[in-house]
Every structure is written in C-alpha cells, then in structure tokens.
C-alpha cells in the first residue's frame, strides 16, 4: 500500500489531485485510517506490532504528501508570476494627449495678469435681459448703437448677450465700491462671419470703480496687460472711440514684437471711463433690490477685448472660424501643450 500511495502522490499533477490522494489514504475513511481503526479488533499481542507497522506507512505517506504539496505550490506560483509578468522591454503604446484650446490658453494668460493686479474673476449668464445688456449700459431702444451689435433674440424677449459689459451692471448691483473685477465668457452677434468675425466669440471685460479713478489709471492698466502679454517692450495706443456706456471712450491696440521678428499694431478692444448714466442705472437696480444707492459720484473705468484676436496672432491662425469648426487638424496641433 505504501508504494502504491507514494507513486500516486508523486504523480499527482495538481493540488486538487493530491488532495484526492490524501483523502483516499489518510482521510477520515481513508485506507490507512481504516487499518488503524481495525487495530482494536486484533488480539493485544499483535496490536502493537501491527500498529507500529501502520504508523511507519502513515509517516511515509505524510512526508510524501508534504513534499509533493510543496512542489506543486511552487509550480503554481511560478506559473502565476510568469503569466502576470510585465515585459518592460515592449515598446509603449502612444496615448493621444489632450491639450488646452488656444482661447483657453490666452484667457489663462490674461486672467493671470489681472489676478496678479488683485482683480476678482467672475462669470455671468449668456442669456440676458434687454435691460442688463442695453438699457442699463446707456443704450436705449432707439439708440443707433444697438445696430452695431446685432442681436440674437429669444422667443421670451430675452437675448444672447452681445458683449460681456452686462457683467459691469450685475457686479455693481451685488458689490460695493471700491472694486476691481474681470469677467470672461462667450458673447453672440447676429452678423455675417468672415476671417476676423464670428457670430459666437469671447470677451474679457474689466471694471474698476472707486473714488478718484482716472483715465491715467486705465492707460496704466492696459499697458501693464500689454507688458504681461508681450514683454517689457510692448507699447499701447489709444484712439478716441464711441461706446454709449463710457465717456470718454477709446479703442486700444498693442504694438508688439513677436519672437519671429514681426511687429504690428493689434486692435484689441474698447475702453473708457464709466458713464454717469451707468452708475445711475446701477443705483436704480440696487434701490429696487433694497440696497443702498452708492455709485452716484463714483469714478471708474471699463474695458472689453476679444481673446480670439490675440490667439490668432500668437498661434498664426489665419481665420477665426478655425477655432470653432472642430477640425481636428487645427485643434490637434495644440495636443500635449498646456
Ligand atoms: C464691445 O463689445 C464693448 N462692450 C467693449 C467695451 C467694454 C468698451 C467696456 C468700453 C468699455 P466691440 O463691439 O468693439 O466692443 O467688441 C470688443 C472686441 O471684441 C473687439 O475689439 C474685438 O476684439 C472683439 N470682437 C467684436 N466683434 C467680434 C466678432 N464678430 N468676432 C470676433 N471678435 C469680435
């Protein structure tokens, strides 16, 4: 029996098979166990010798079982390790990296500049009431300036904001002066598109209000932004312009030398000193909301600019429509750059 058992043990191919052999011989009703159980029926003289004999067999079987179990367990572990091994010499699979849209990057630059100057950054609604987009900004319904910004009207009488200047009104109704804020976001105009005009584009609005704010503060701020964007040699130019919500009003441009040695004036946006009628309209809204009239007699400046213009020049994108056409050949060029 011993020989047979040991042969079966050493040939057991798996741990499960080994367990079966173990049960067969030394399990509860195994062959060896039965022999031991039968000892009681033997006459006492034979019992001792037979008992010793069976014990030798049992010990041999136990030792063989233990050894075989060790071998099989090691083999199972080796197999597991081999199957889970990572071959670090295999070439990697290139994963397509994302990247920030050029407009996001220009915004991040601009907002970083203003945050360093202590401005609060806010966002506001794209669906807006006529009052916040026009009236409160000193653009009554009959005013020809409404034609300058042709409007997408919604069926409920609201509109898609034509500029971020609505945030001047919203911010002043909620906050007391002195204040410095910039607001970013999308704006919409119902106009024919061309290489430099989209019907959806972005603006960055800035507003500073306090006592004794002057045009010099406005010019210094725009110059600081230009240096932040284009380095210490950047220059700014202001030309008189008309916006109903500022007086005086101006357009500003930045003259910059890019790393490729080109230099040109880049028309960036409009600006000016906040019109007293705007402060009055804000106070009216505040009064209606149960807040103090606090803006009458204040001074402040505002500006609004289009980041698309900056991005087109910076990244040499010849047509504004490329930004939003979702053509992977355009946007894909900015993969992996953050
Ligand atoms: C305004 O929208 C004023 N709200 C700016 C302002 C704010 C003036 C505060 C004074 C005080 P304007 O319509 O010029 O102004 O637009 C500002 C900038 O938005 C432009 O200089 C240009 O950079 C960008 N822009 C205007 N229209 C388009 C368009 N269709 N596509 C892309 N960019 C545009």
């Amino acid at each position: 029996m011993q020989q047979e058992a040991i042969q079966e043990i050493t040939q057991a191919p798996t741990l499960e098979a080994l367990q079966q052999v173990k049960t067969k011989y030394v399990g509860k009703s195994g062959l060896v166990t039965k022999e031991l159980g039968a000892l009681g029926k033997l006459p006492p003289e034979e019992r001792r010798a037979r008992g010793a004999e069976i014990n030798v067999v049992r010990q041999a079987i136990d030792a063989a079982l233990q050894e075989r179990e060790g071998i099989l367990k090691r083999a199972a572990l080796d197999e597991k390790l081999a199957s889970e091994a990572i071959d670090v010499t295999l070439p990697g699979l290139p994963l397509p990296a994302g990247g920030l849209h050029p407009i996001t990057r220009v915004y991040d630059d601009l907002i970083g500049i203003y945050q360093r100057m202590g401005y609060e950054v806010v966002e506001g609604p794209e669906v807006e009431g006529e009052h916040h987009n026009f009236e409160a900004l000193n653009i009554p319904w009959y005013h020809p300036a409404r034609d300058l910004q042709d409007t997408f009207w919604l069926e409920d009488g609201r509109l898609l904001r034509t500029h971020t200047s609505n945030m001047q009104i919203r911010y002043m109704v909620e906050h007391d002066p002195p204040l410095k804020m910039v607001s970013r976001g999308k704006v919409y105009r119902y106009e024919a598109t061309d290489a430099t005009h989209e019907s959806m584009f972005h603006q960055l609005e800035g507003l500073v209000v306090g006592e004794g704010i002057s045009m010099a503060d406005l010019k210094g701020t725009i110059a600081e932004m230009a240096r932040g964007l284009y380095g210490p040699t950047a220059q700014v130019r202001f030309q008189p312009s008309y916006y109903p919500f500022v007086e005086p009003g101006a357009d500003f441009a930045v003259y910059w030398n890019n790393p490729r040695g080109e230099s040109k004036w880049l028309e960036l946006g409009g600006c000016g000193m906040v019109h007293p009628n705007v402060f009055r309209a804000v106070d009216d809204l505040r009064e209606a909301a149960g807040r103090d009239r606090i803006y009458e007699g204040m001074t402040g400046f505002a500006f609004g600019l289009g980041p698309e213009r900056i991005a087109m020049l910076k990244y040499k994108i010849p047509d504004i429509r490329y930004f939003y056409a979702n053509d992977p050949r355009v946007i894909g060029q900015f993969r992996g750059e953050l």
Side-chain angles (χ1 to χ4, degrees), residues 163 165 189 191 198 201 203 205 243 268-270 304 306 309 320:
H163 52 184
S165 299
R189 291 190 195 172
E191 55 183 54
E198 255 292 6
F201 57 101
Q203 285 191 340
E205 189 83 11
Y243 297 94
L268 268 191
R309 298 273 160 90
I320 190 173

Side-chain angles (χ1 to χ4, degrees), residues 73-87:
K73 275 194 174 158
R74 222 169 307 127
L77 182 65
D78 283 348
E79 196 179 318
K80 191 164 186 257
L81 287 175
S83 72
E84 289 176 2
I86 295 169
D87 183 352

Side-chain angles (χ1 to χ4, degrees), residues 177-239:
L179 60 86
K180 294 197 276 190
M181 76 86 175
V182 282
S183 184
R184 67 194 269 177
K186 294 187 174 78
V187 303
Y188 303 84
R189 291 190 195 172
Y190 183 50
E191 55 183 54
T193 64
D194 62 27
T196 52
H197 293 84
E198 255 292 6
S199 47
M200 185 283 294
F201 57 101
H202 294 80
Q203 285 191 340
L204 183 77
E205 189 83 11
L207 176 69
V208 173
V209 179
E211 280 172 35
I213 304 283
S214 73
M215 194 84 184
D217 298 314
L218 168 58
K219 291 176 78 173
T221 302
I222 300 292
E224 185 64 25
M225 174 181 76
R227 288 191 288 267
L229 283 175
Y230 298 120
T233 57
Q235 298 171 54
V236 284
R237 178 184 73 186
F238 293 82
Q239 290 180 312

Side-chain angles (χ1 to χ4, degrees), residues 237-248:
R237 178 184 73 186
F238 293 82
Q239 290 180 312
S241 185
Y242 174 70
Y243 297 94
F245 33 94
V246 289
E247 179 59 37

Side-chain angles (χ1 to χ4, degrees), residues 16-76:
E16 292 79 50
L18 187 67
Q19 182 62 37
Q20 277 171 12
V21 180
K22 186 174 179 180
T23 313
K24 177 174 168 190
Y25 290 99
V26 296
K28 241 192 220 155
S29 43
L31 296 173
V32 177
T33 321
K34 270 189 194 153
E35 294 275 347
L36 280 170
L39 280 178
K41 291 181 197 138
L42 291 178
E45 330 69 83
E46 285 177 37
R47 207 181 286 163
R48 176 182 288 259
R50 180 73 185 136
E53 226 175 79
I54 300 174
N55 259 333
V56 170
V57 173
R58 166 144 204 165
Q59 275 165 15
I61 290 178
D62 279 346
L65 279 169
Q66 222 174 358
E67 193 190 336
R68 185 69 187 154
E69 190 180 331
I71 291 170
L72 288 174
K73 275 194 174 158
R74 222 169 307 127

